[in-house]
Amino acid sequence: KDKMALMECEARRAYSVELAIAGLPGEEGEISGDTTLTFESRDDYFYALCSDGMGRGEEAKRTSEFVGKFLMRALAFGGARETVLHLLNNTVRSRGRECSATVDLFQLDLLDGSATFIKSGAAPSFVKRDSSIFRIRSGTAPIGLMKSIDSEKIRVEVKGGDYIIMISDGISQSAEESPWLLELL
């Protein structure tokens, strides 16, 4: 119209995720302090979270569930990761009793395929591509232990057909302690 064109464009997701989650009860039938969640945000990110509440039983489970729900709600609506993590850390610290939880958060941009792990006190994660295995680890402290958050953001390259394996510290403290894990992968 009058030598002007109006175009409306929309980005389409180029990536999708297939997933599986497995868990076991704690020792001697005790409640596991682990929480695992997956969700997508309205700004086209896929998230996978593994959180382990420190301690044992019901209290550990409540803490890790709180961490999971907090992150899911804040990130699903497009909250800035660093801001959300700082708010989470301050909220956990303000609960009036000593509590903390690990955060192992995997983020995949479903539009361009860029991926990031955000780790706070979390066990190693793995990326399996064909016959190669890449270990992703961090030496940070869990959420809620320190006044300021201790987290590490690790960018990873993922390709179609890769497997992302996230585990709790109850599975393996190191590859040397659990050669069966690397053999399984």
Side-chain angles (χ1 to χ4, degrees):
K1 179 178 179 183
D2 298 328
K3 296 185 181 182
M4 184 171 75
L6 176 63
M7 296 175 59
E8 190 173 306
C9 300
E10 180 179 298
R12 289 206 172 196
R13 291 180 174 181
Y15 296 86
S16 63
V17 176
E18 294 180 30
L19 62 105
I21 298 173
L24 295 172
E27 293 178 18
E28 301 172 13
E30 187 176 66
I31 294 172
S32 171
D34 296 345
T35 295
T36 54
L37 295 171
T38 62
F39 57 96
E40 293 180 5
S41 67
R42 65 180 182 189
D43 55 349
D44 295 307
Y45 284 97
F46 167 82
Y47 291 96
L49 170 73
C50 183
S51 178
D52 181 8
M54 300 290 101
R56 304 180 71 90
E58 198 65 46
E59 184 65 28
K61 183 65 171 178
R62 274 195 299 274
T63 303
S64 70
E65 284 178 341
F66 174 80
V67 164
K69 289 176 184 175
F70 187 102
L71 287 171
M72 182 174 67
R73 288 181 180 135
L75 294 172
F77 291 102
R81 285 186 322 243
E82 283 75 21
T83 303
V84 168
L85 288 170
H86 284 285
L87 285 171
L88 174 61
N89 189 63
N90 290 337
T91 303
V92 170
R93 286 183 53 80
S94 71
R95 291 181 76 184
R97 59 187 181 282
E98 188 176 317
C99 63
S100 60
T102 65
V103 170
D104 194 0
L105 184 67
F106 175 73
Q107 173 187 287
L108 174 67
D109 185 322
L110 296 169
L111 300 176
D112 70 13
S114 60
T116 305
F117 279 97
I118 299 164
K119 292 184 163 290
S120 285
S125 298
F126 301 89
V127 177
K128 182 179 184 317
R129 177 176 302 137
D130 301 322
S131 61
S132 299
I133 300 171
F134 306 95
R135 186 179 337 179
I136 313 297
R137 60 181 159 186
S138 171
T140 55
I143 292 280
L145 281 184
M146 303 169 86
K147 187 174 183 177
S148 63
I149 189 165
D150 185 23
S151 67
E152 187 172 358
K153 182 169 64 171
I154 305 161
R155 293 194 180 278
V156 294
E157 179 185 349
V158 293
K159 296 182 178 181
D162 283 357
Y163 291 90
I164 308 299
I165 298 96
M166 300 167 68
I167 60 174
S168 175
D169 63 358
I171 299 293
S172 170
Q173 294 292 345
S174 71
E176 295 75 28
E177 292 175 16
S178 301
W180 63 268
L181 179 60
L182 291 179
E183 182 67 30
L184 177 67
L185 297 176

